[in-house]
Amino acid sequence: MKASVTDTAGLVNTDPASVFNDAYRQYSPGVCAYLRTRGVEDPEGVAQDVFLALFPRLGDLRGGPAGLRTLIFTIAHARAVDSHRRRARSPISIEYNPARDGRLTSSAEDQVLDNVTGGHALLENLPEDYREVLALRVIAELSLESTARIMNKSPGAIKQLQRRALARLKESQQETKGQGKS
Amino acid sequence: MTNDFRSAGDLHDVQIIEDLLAETGMNHPADTGLLKPALIHVRGLAHGPQPIPRGELAALLATLATGPAADTGNVTSLEAHRRKRRTRLVIAATALSLSLGAGAAVAAVNPEFRDTVQKAVTALVETLAPAPSDRPPGTPAPVDTPAPATVPGHPTPPGKAIPSGPPATPPAASGPQRDETVPVPQTHPGLNGSPSPGQPPAPLMPQPAVPAQPPEQPTTSTPPHQRATIPEPLPAAPATGNHK
């Protein structure tokens, strides 16, 4: 049976090639989504850079699947920070998205459905640090300590941050529901 | 009842969200009723479409899939090479700047070094420069000057000596100074019509290139025996014009 990165037995005795393939198959959508929530311009391209940077470091990997996830999203966080810095130095280029074109109008039903069901739409209304902590905890499935390490904060600060983020998300959900009823 | 049809992945996702809500103390039914569906949608982003590998990643995945020979070292060597090249560039730039600084310090301290460098540069310039010319650039070629103008037997006005040999300083391009050494009125007396004072105009010129010698001219420095030897080539001038 082929070893999977989700196995709890760890990755010590696993072939790095198969670990890399499985990691890409399993975590690349999450990395892509995380980068998109962070506002990276080309999330797919940066996600591929993340995995290219991951491959040489697989030999030093410790901590099993949780360690692999932490390593992947640590690299992704660093790439997102790089992307933000690069974007701050260069003019912003925004790809045309018909869904965001203010000259177009969609049906009210579609709008409500998009707001409720779209995971990105849910996070877009939140401040950046709220978005990041929820993405790391929910999408990346990281522990409190790993999230604190990546965001360079204490676990207590992360606890408070995620609590505020959830409260804000709850408020926005209540507003959405209120708009849907009225 | 619907929970029974959930897959293991779905249960895992629900478990993540319930743990988060419990950890933050927002696991009351009023909170979970709003937050749980929203967080399940957020969690669904982790199961989105897999980005299609491109470029280097596609090559790496293909290499990993095809050959067991592929190992981590083959790929990391690129980064190591880049790092090595960067280090080499830094070392070369440092060595160049240090050598330049050392050379400048030696040149500033040692005057012999400067002399040696100056001699070497002078020798190099002399070697590479074209043949030395007495004329400064811009001076017309000596073809213009008629040969008899500097004939030793030619009379020279008093106070103006004919230079014997190459002039120490090249003649300037100005007209009057040139007329002193090249007596144009003697060579072409019929053209300008102004013969020099005290010199009778030549009646007939067999060849304009050869100036006619006046029978009597005041000489200042030319010995008389030279005057006798000069007219000898004159008869030969028409002969040279005839044999063609």
Side-chain angles (χ1 to χ4, degrees):
Chain A
M1 184 181 167
K2 198 175 182 181
S4 169
V5 290
T6 55
D7 290 347
T8 54
L11 304 163
V12 178
N13 297 323
T14 320
D15 179 26
S18 64
V19 168
F20 184 72
N21 275 317
D22 289 346
Y24 185 74
R25 181 174 45 80
Q26 190 161 344
Y27 294 126
S28 61
V31 171
C32 207
Y34 168 76
L35 293 169
R36 189 169 285 123
T37 59
R38 295 294 312 276
V40 174
E41 278 184 8
D42 181 15
E44 293 191 359
V46 178
Q48 300 198 18
D49 289 345
V50 168
F51 281 91
L52 279 173
L54 168 73
F55 185 67
R57 298 169 70 173
L58 280 179
D60 304 328
L61 184 64
R62 297 288 181 273
L68 177 63
R69 275 199 308 271
T70 305
L71 179 59
I72 290 173
F73 283 94
T74 301
I75 299 170
H77 171 81
R79 294 301 166 113
V81 171
D82 289 346
S83 173
H84 278 287
R85 285 180 182 158
R86 206 177 306 121
R87 201 169 57 177
R89 288 194 297 266
S90 59
I92 303 171
S93 61
I94 300 172
E95 190 180 355
Y96 176 70
N97 185 359
R100 297 186 179 186
D101 194 342
R103 296 166 295 184
L104 303 176
T105 54
S106 57
S107 66
E109 292 81 3
D110 287 346
Q111 205 168 0
V112 170
L113 275 175
D114 284 342
N115 287 338
V116 172
T117 59
H120 287 298
L122 289 168
L123 295 178
E124 266 177 3
N125 299 323
L126 302 179
E128 188 173 349
D129 51 349
Y130 290 3
R131 260 185 288 156
E132 180 165 19
V133 73
L134 287 183
L136 287 176
R137 292 304 312 273
V138 177
I139 298 173
E141 202 184 326
L142 294 184
S143 67
L144 189 71
E145 290 75 21
S146 298
T147 306
R149 212 176 306 129
I150 288 177
M151 292 185 71
N152 202 18
K153 293 180 188 294
S154 66
I158 293 296
K159 230 177 196 177
Q160 290 297 321
L161 191 64
Q162 67 190 14
R163 184 176 171 80
R164 287 198 295 269
L166 287 174
R168 183 72 175 269
L169 183 64
K170 185 181 155 190
E171 285 174 15
S172 75
Q173 286 297 99
Q174 283 172 337
E175 287 172 9
T176 308
K177 278 201 168 183
Q179 286 175 0
K181 282 178 183 175
S182 64
Chain B
M1 191 68 183
T2 53
N3 287 348
D4 297 335
F5 296 103
R6 285 180 183 173
S7 66
D10 291 341
L11 290 174
H12 178 71
D13 293 347
V14 171
Q15 187 65 43
I16 290 171
I17 290 160
E18 285 177 351
D19 287 350
L20 176 66
L21 292 173
E23 192 179 290
T24 53
M26 302 188 78
N27 49 358
H28 301 292
D31 299 330
T32 53
L34 284 172
L35 287 174
K36 210 170 170 182
L39 290 175
I40 283 175
H41 286 302
V42 172
R43 174 64 189 163
L45 296 174
H47 308 300
Q50 182 179 315
I52 300 165
R54 296 183 304 222
E56 199 175 348
L57 182 66
L60 175 62
L61 288 171
T63 308
L64 292 176
T66 53
D71 56 349
T72 309
N74 286 342
V75 177
T76 53
S77 65
L78 287 173
E79 185 60 33
H81 178 70
R82 276 191 216 110
R83 214 176 296 130
K84 211 182 289 180
R85 188 177 56 183
R86 227 175 289 134
T87 311
R88 251 186 262 132
L89 279 174
V90 168
I91 288 172
T94 311
L96 182 65
S97 59
L98 282 178
S99 62
L100 282 175
V106 167
V109 168
N110 193 3
E112 291 178 5
F113 178 79
R114 289 200 296 261
D115 292 342
T116 310
V117 170
Q118 191 178 2
K119 283 175 186 170
V121 170
T122 309
L124 191 66
V125 167
E126 285 176 355
T127 307
L128 296 177
S133 172
D134 291 337
R135 291 178 293 103
T139 309
V143 181
D144 308 334
T145 306
T150 55
V151 170
H154 189 272
T156 311
K160 293 178 181 175
I162 294 175
S164 60
T169 55
S174 59
Q177 208 173 1
R178 207 174 151 74
D179 288 340
E180 290 174 359
T181 56
V182 183
V184 178
Q186 293 177 8
T187 55
H188 304 284
L191 291 176
N192 50 15
S194 59
S196 60
Q199 183 180 359
L204 281 174
M205 296 298 293
Q207 191 171 5
V210 179
Q213 295 299 324
E216 287 182 3
Q217 279 186 347
T219 58
T220 54
S221 60
T222 312
H225 68 274
Q226 285 182 357
R227 234 191 309 162
T229 55
I230 291 302
E232 286 181 6
L234 285 175
T240 55
N242 290 335
H243 75 84
K244 264 189 176 180

